[in-house]
Amino acid sequence: MPHTLRVPVAWREDAAVAHEVHTKIVEATGMGLGHHNERRQFEWKQVTPVIPPSSRLRFEPADDDTFISLFARVMPGSLDVMTRRELATTDALSLARDEVDYYRS
């Protein structure tokens, strides 16, 4: 069963927080949670100015089905441990739908 531990962005630079994270990983491993996966989440807040658009990346409106389809296409070969583990038991399209439902909740 997955367990989430949210930490500050620069947690490695704070000795107390780094020690706490390390301790929790060791304890979780001792209880049978043998794999860990670090994910980064990014959030834009309205108080942060929007940077000028890049010519390398384009954003455009799309419906949920389009997003889910694109999300499913990039899942195979993912570097994310949990994504790879879940793809062993379900197809990419179902997993993409589940992920989108999770982020909506």
Side-chain angles (χ1 to χ4, degrees):
M1 163 149 298
H3 172 73
T4 299
L5 174 64
R6 295 189 186 274
V7 296
V9 173
W11 67 271
R12 287 180 175 88
E13 288 137 30
D14 182 327
V17 176
H19 176 73
E20 183 178 342
V21 169
H22 176 72
T23 300
K24 288 181 179 182
I25 290 172
V26 169
E27 289 297 318
T29 301
M31 297 179 77
L33 298 174
H35 301 282
H36 69 273
N37 181 42
E38 185 172 329
R39 287 182 168 175
R40 294 180 184 246
Q41 281 186 293
F42 298 93
E43 176 183 15
W44 174 73
K45 298 182 179 181
Q46 289 185 339
V47 296
T48 306
V50 176
I51 61 171
S54 166
S55 61
R56 297 179 356 186
L57 182 62
R58 185 183 58 173
F59 291 93
E60 60 187 53
D63 61 19
D64 289 350
D65 289 337
T66 300
F67 178 79
I68 289 169
S69 172
L70 292 170
F71 198 22
R73 285 177 48 195
V74 300
M75 285 184 169
S78 173
L79 299 177
D80 185 78
V81 172
M82 287 182 64
T83 299
R84 289 196 317 258
R85 205 176 295 147
E86 291 183 35
L87 284 174
T89 60
T90 189
D91 64 282
L93 192 56
S94 296
L95 181 56
R97 286 187 185 114
D98 290 346
E99 291 287 324
V100 168
D101 288 345
Y102 170 80
Y103 285 110
R104 282 189 183 140
S105 63

